[in-house]
Amino acid sequence: MVGLIGKKVGMTQVFDESGVLVPVTVIQVEPNWIVARRTIEKNGYEAVVLGSGQIKESRLTKPYRGQFPESVKPTRHLVEIRDFELEGEVGAKIGVEALEGLRFVDVRGTTKGKGYQGVVKRWGFHGGRDTHGSKFHRTHGSTGQNTHPGHTFRGVKMAGRMGGQRYTVQNLRIVKIDPEKQLLLVKGAVPGAINGMVVVTSAKKREL
Amino acid sequence: MDMIKAVEVAQQKEGVDNLRIGDLVRVHFTIIEGKNERVQVYEGVIIAMKNSGLRKTITVRKISYGVGVERVFPLHSPRIQKIELVRHGRVRRAKLYYLRSRVGKAAKIVELIQKKKPVVVDPSTAAESTPEEKSKEE
């Protein structure tokens, strides 16, 4: 597993080698620092803690600052990546080059908040007819049975808060890696708003 | 936004901005047939330009064996090897869709003949410039 913290820059289009125009998301990788290593002896699992992004000194709390060794300046984001394959001491710097050689990645981020949404937008219910005497438009309809079981089951799809959740998009093809500008171009869309933090890891369900 | 622009600009070709609507052009287009690659030359009139920047396209119309053919080429596509400009045409519209309903001589576009601007010799600068530069200006 290889992973990095990045920043979503936005989407555009790019020609690939065969001349096909491919929709891509541009992800900027600010310097990633290895903040700590989790080991099996001490923590029960292997992982690396990466930090990235700038943060004001005044915004730091003591417990947060305590996470960082002296060699690393406190960063805005802290992410653990399990079974990290790359070597590197605590305090080492990692850039997009780390992803070189990969063909597919998974990208994790926080989706845009949509607020309180109905069942049609939130769960893809079809709704009813608008006209021709229909009285069933965009509501969810029945949420359960009768006297037995006598209550609505948990987890029934209803209206409510949508978005603003962590979401992973799997198997996005790497179109280009630009070590000079520290940019990563990935085919397709990535969760979250522009300037949002994303975590790019090697694809879990796809071989090289 | 700047980074997005940088990504796009890096892909853009140079020397394609001299094309205009009504131009007769020869497009050298790479065709991939299985493993073979060859270059096909497509000659016709630019009847439309769409989009801008990296996504800019030209629509080229020609009459092939009596049948009108129109092809849309992305200007910045790596499959376009080069675009030869045969001649500029004299047109008064940004889109030449009216050509579709015309045949023969009515569908012809006259070549644009640019009148040379008369050289105005400013006595103050003329005195300073060397004879070599003068001959160039003329």
Side-chain angles (χ1 to χ4, degrees):
Chain A
M1 182 71 77
V2 180
L4 285 175
I5 305 170
K7 193 168 97 176
K8 179 170 169 178
V9 176
M11 289 193 74
T12 179
Q13 292 168 326
V14 143
F15 285 105
D16 69 2
E17 317 82 53
S18 52
V20 180
L21 204 52
V22 185
V24 293
T25 307
V26 181
I27 297 168
Q28 187 195 12
V29 179
E30 290 167 334
N32 278 229
W33 309 93
I34 296 182
V35 175
R37 274 191 184 271
R38 308 273 187 249
T39 54
I40 290 175
E41 299 87 62
K42 208 177 168 194
N43 312 93
Y45 62 95
E46 283 276 350
V48 91
V49 183
L50 292 180
S52 174
Q54 288 181 334
I55 188 168
K56 264 189 187 173
E57 195 74 18
S58 59
R59 298 255 165 84
L60 294 171
T61 59
K62 264 193 176 175
Y64 190 76
R65 197 202 310 256
Q67 304 260 338
F68 295 86
E70 276 188 11
S71 54
V72 182
K73 219 179 145 207
T75 55
R76 176 180 282 269
H77 307 294
L78 268 183
V79 169
E80 254 186 40
I81 289 164
R82 287 227 178 186
D83 302 318
F84 200 72
E85 282 163 4
L86 289 181
E87 295 292 316
E89 293 288 301
V90 168
K93 186 174 147 186
I94 303 175
V96 238
E97 306 83 47
L99 300 174
E100 214 109 33
L102 292 179
R103 282 181 61 219
F104 292 94
V105 287
D106 296 342
V107 180
R108 197 166 81 209
T110 309
T111 56
K112 283 184 188 172
K114 310 279 184 202
Y116 191 96
Q117 290 299 333
V119 105
V120 173
K121 186 182 176 84
R122 195 177 181 213
W123 297 109
F125 284 20
H126 293 292
R129 275 189 104 151
D130 285 345
T131 55
H132 290 274
S134 168
K135 292 175 185 171
F136 181 79
H137 304 302
R138 294 177 69 92
T139 56
H140 51 62
S142 167
T143 58
Q145 298 77 32
N146 211 317
T147 322
H148 183 78
H151 63 91
T152 298
F153 287 127
R154 280 188 171 197
V156 170
K157 291 170 180 171
M158 294 191 205
R161 280 275 181 98
M162 184 182 169
Q165 286 170 324
R166 196 163 98 164
Y167 191 81
T168 308
V169 184
Q170 294 182 328
N171 304 328
L172 296 176
R173 181 158 68 85
I174 292 182
V175 177
K176 202 184 165 192
I177 292 171
D178 188 342
E180 206 175 293
K181 294 185 192 126
Q182 289 289 311
L183 294 181
L184 168 73
L185 268 59
V186 139
K187 185 185 172 188
V190 149
I194 284 172
N195 287 333
M197 183 199 78
V198 289
V199 177
V200 184
T201 54
S202 44
K204 198 174 185 182
K205 294 185 182 166
R206 199 141 178 174
E207 294 293 306
L208 276 175
Chain B
M1 245 2 236
D2 292 336
M3 266 177 280
I4 298 270
K5 253 187 195 158
V7 169
E8 287 182 0
V9 169
Q11 294 240 319
Q12 282 179 26
K13 285 182 192 170
E14 284 172 17
V16 286
D17 42 7
N18 61 338
L19 298 176
R20 289 187 234 154
I21 299 290
D23 287 357
L24 187 67
V25 288
R26 292 160 65 85
V27 182
H28 294 247
F29 195 68
T30 319
I31 289 173
I32 300 153
E33 292 166 328
K35 282 179 185 172
N36 301 331
E37 269 191 25
R38 63 190 179 86
V39 178
Q40 197 181 57
V41 182
Y42 181 92
E43 182 173 332
V45 177
I46 299 180
I47 64 163
M49 283 188 183
K50 282 187 176 177
N51 307 332
S52 64
L54 182 65
R55 287 164 284 272
K56 192 168 192 173
T57 63
I58 54 172
T59 304
V60 184
R61 179 179 172 88
K62 74 165 178 181
I63 306 294
S64 174
Y65 299 105
V67 182
V69 178
E70 280 176 21
R71 281 189 73 171
V72 183
F73 295 102
L75 263 190
H76 297 282
S77 166
R79 284 176 67 185
I80 290 186
Q81 298 221 321
K82 62 173 174 178
I83 299 175
E84 265 178 73
L85 177 66
V86 181
R87 61 160 187 259
H88 289 302
R90 196 180 72 86
V91 291
R92 304 171 77 166
R93 242 145 277 269
K95 301 278 188 285
L96 306 182
Y97 296 141
Y98 67 87
L99 288 180
R100 292 169 177 169
S101 55
R102 299 211 183 162
V103 214
K105 202 175 174 183
K108 199 170 157 41
I109 286 177
V110 187
E111 184 176 356
L112 179 71
I113 295 155
Q114 278 159 325
K115 278 182 194 162
K116 280 180 188 165
K117 281 180 188 169
V119 183
V120 183
V121 182
D122 188 358
S124 59
T125 55
E128 287 167 21
S129 59
T130 57
E132 278 180 340
E133 282 173 6
K134 256 187 202 171
S135 60
K136 267 185 198 168
E137 278 171 23
E138 283 157 11

